[in-house]
Amino acid sequence: MMSHKIGRRQVLKVLSGTALAASQVTVGAARGIAEPASLRIGLAALRGAPTIPEGAKKIRATIAECRTKGVKIVCFPETYLPGLRGDVELPPPDQPAMECALEAVRGTCGNEKVNAIVGMEWVTPRGLENRAFLISDEGRVLGYQTKN
């Protein structure tokens, strides 16, 4: 997986680029009037899942539901996988499970053609990070924002 850390301005630039591409003005042939297109953004407020695989399954189902509702970008809660430490008792970090979950979510984004911002914890040489991965509707990780 190729990804790189991106800053807040770059995340907004990527999302703005998506919004700009989606909001290009179209001309109504019958009326000759410019009509702005719209971009539907979903905010997923999901209850926590007891395991990382179950949480990934909920994310994937939500992405699929977003496609049926015309949502182009869906945002998930901070560290939805595995959950926000300190709020509830969580098992020790499981990086292989997180990598597997990210791959599954990437595949779903690509299959459903929905962009997603997914909050996950991530083990790095610097320690445990709280990351928001930006995943394209092609299933590519465009980057991530770390909050620590």
Side-chain angles (χ1 to χ4, degrees):
M1 171 185 71
M2 296 296 293
S3 69
H4 59 283
K5 184 173 181 176
I6 58 178
R8 182 174 299 135
R9 287 179 194 251
Q10 289 171 304
V11 168
L12 293 173
K13 184 177 178 182
V14 169
L15 293 179
S16 295
T18 302
L20 181 61
S23 65
Q24 296 298 314
V25 175
T26 58
V27 177
R31 298 186 308 238
I33 300 172
E35 298 175 9
S38 64
L39 175 68
R40 183 167 282 187
I41 299 172
L43 302 176
L46 305 176
R47 290 192 185 273
T51 67
I52 293 170
E54 288 177 53
K57 185 176 178 180
K58 288 175 86 171
I59 289 172
R60 294 172 66 213
T62 302
I63 291 168
E65 182 181 352
C66 285
R67 180 193 49 80
T68 67
K69 295 182 177 182
V71 173
K72 295 295 179 188
I73 302 170
V74 60
C75 304
F76 291 89
E78 176 179 4
T79 63
Y80 178 72
L81 290 179
L84 195 55
R85 292 193 182 276
D87 288 351
V88 295
E89 186 70 28
L90 295 171
D94 184 350
Q95 187 61 25
M98 297 305 281
E99 291 172 9
C100 184
L102 181 59
E103 288 304 308
V105 171
R106 286 179 59 219
T108 302
C109 285
N111 291 337
E112 302 294 344
K113 301 300 180 210
V114 174
N115 299 280
I117 300 173
V118 182
M120 304 174 81
E121 71 178 16
W122 207 255
V123 177
T124 72
R126 293 181 302 275
L128 194 58
E129 292 184 349
N130 174 347
R131 287 187 177 182
F133 285 95
L134 178 58
I135 306 168
S136 76
D137 60 1
E138 297 173 341
R140 293 182 317 134
V141 172
L142 300 177
Y144 61 88
Q145 173 68 42
T146 302
K147 174 185 172 185
N148 285 54

